[in-house]
Amino acid sequence: MLDRVSSPDPETNEGSTAEPRRGPHSIFEKYKRRQTSDVVIMEKKTEKLSLKREVGLAGAVSLIGGTMIGSGIFMSPQTVISTIGSPGASLVVWACCGVLVIMASFCYAELGTVIRESGGEYIYILRTAGPVVAFMLIFSSVLFVRPAGVAGIALSFAQYVVAPFYPDCPPPELLVKFMAAAAIITLATVNCLNVRFAMSLQVFFMVVKVLALAVIIIGGMVMLVRGNNESFKDSFENTNVGINPIGIAFYQGLWSYDGWNNLNYVTEELKRPEVSERR
């Protein structure tokens, strides 16, 4: 005899080995759970993406010192003294610029320990004034301010590099520009490839610059000891007290101090920002 095969009940789905039907709500809940899990996984991956903290205290000091002690400190003094008109007034200008930079550095050190994000003034304005003002700042800085500053420093560097090869005449302008462009490309490549090597190069150049300044300072002190102090007699004579010469002198002095805020651009790469920023 043939066994009687029971047909599945369409209402209860009894007698069937197939997977029970799922309504639209269960499918939506499954898709929602999968989407939520994907978001959680992406958030975990995003949290793991961060800059390597490879810049120590020596690298931080070299970054500030190496950028501050640049071509400006070797070229601006003659412009300052010729604009202000007297050695005494030029020393006052340099002292005032130094005090102003120190006070601003204290403010940036405090900001760097509170907002531990790279970006410098961009990230500070973004967190306080909003994205519109921050975008305007970074737009003008990337397109105009920073390129002009880098070009000026590179041209000054190139002028000093090629000057020994042309002792009797000024070097060709095209050669100076080529040397400046080569220096910019080389330094940009080094900074993109390896942070540690870039910091080592920064330390080396800072030591060379400090030694050059030490030679100039010691040489000046030796000249003073030998009695060459004619410049300090009536040192404030012929001082230009107009707004225009004082403004130009301060501009040149502050340009020589430029670079004091560069450490805040790499806050996320500092090993201990709460220590390095304050020191």
Side-chain angles (χ1 to χ4, degrees):
M1 293 180 64
L2 296 175
D3 294 335
R4 191 174 181 179
V5 180
S6 60
S7 61
D9 190 353
E11 298 294 334
T12 60
N13 202 23
E14 293 179 357
S16 174
T17 58
E19 186 179 355
R21 296 180 181 177
R22 298 187 178 183
H25 295 288
S26 60
I27 297 175
F28 175 76
E29 290 177 359
K30 181 180 180 181
Y31 172 76
K32 188 175 180 180
R33 286 195 301 269
R34 182 180 298 175
Q35 189 178 19
T36 305
S37 62
D38 292 341
V39 171
V40 172
I41 293 173
M42 289 297 296
E43 288 180 353
K44 290 181 179 179
K45 291 182 178 180
T46 305
E47 290 176 357
K48 293 180 181 179
L49 295 177
S50 60
L51 296 172
K52 293 182 179 180
R53 297 187 177 273
E54 296 182 347
V55 181
L57 181 59
V61 174
S62 300
L63 178 62
I64 296 178
T67 51
M68 288 183 65
I69 307 173
S71 58
I73 194 61
F74 299 102
M75 300 183 65
S76 294
Q78 57 184 350
T79 307
V80 172
I81 195 169
S82 63
T83 303
I84 203 66
S86 64
S90 66
L91 291 177
V92 173
V93 169
W94 284 109
C96 292
C97 291
V99 172
L100 183 61
V101 169
I102 289 174
M103 299 302 293
S105 300
F106 288 157
C107 297
Y108 260 62
E110 187 67 24
L111 286 171
T113 56
V114 174
I115 305 176
R116 300 182 183 180
E117 298 180 64
S118 298
E121 56 267 10
Y122 165 74
I123 198 67
Y124 305 145
I125 294 178
L126 178 65
R127 295 288 179 256
T128 56
V132 177
V133 181
F135 173 78
M136 294 173 62
L137 169 72
I138 201 66
F139 181 81
S140 59
S141 179
V142 170
L143 292 184
F144 304 105
V145 180
R146 290 291 174 180
V150 171
I153 295 173
L155 287 173
S156 302
F157 168 78
Q159 189 77 28
Y160 278 105
V161 169
V162 301
F165 300 98
Y166 298 89
D168 300 328
C169 62
E173 185 177 355
L174 183 61
L175 178 61
V176 173
K177 292 182 178 180
F178 177 79
M179 185 63 66
I184 293 174
I185 294 173
T186 302
L187 292 179
T189 304
V190 169
N191 280 276
C192 292
L193 291 178
N194 194 296
V195 176
R196 291 183 179 179
F197 180 70
M199 283 295 102
S200 301
L201 197 63
Q202 188 75 43
V203 172
F204 171 75
F205 279 116
M206 190 198 71
V207 172
V208 173
K209 294 174 184 178
V210 170
L211 291 177
L213 285 180
V215 170
I216 296 174
I217 294 171
I218 294 174
M221 294 178 65
V222 170
M223 296 293 290
L224 285 176
V225 171
R226 290 182 177 180
N228 297 316
N229 55 359
E230 292 83 5
S231 298
F232 292 95
K233 295 178 180 179
D234 299 327
S235 57
F236 287 92
E237 188 177 359
N238 299 325
T239 301
N240 298 323
V241 293
I243 297 178
N244 190 31
I246 293 177
I248 295 175
F250 267 91
Y251 176 80
Q252 290 291 330
L254 291 174
W255 185 64
S256 299
Y257 283 106
D258 187 30
W260 56 268
N261 60 334
N262 283 349
L263 186 61
N264 292 60
Y265 288 99
V266 294
T267 303
E268 295 181 27
E269 299 180 52
L270 297 176
K271 292 181 180 179
R272 297 179 61 190
E274 68 280 359
V275 177
S276 301
E277 289 277 356
R278 296 181 181 275
R279 290 185 178 180

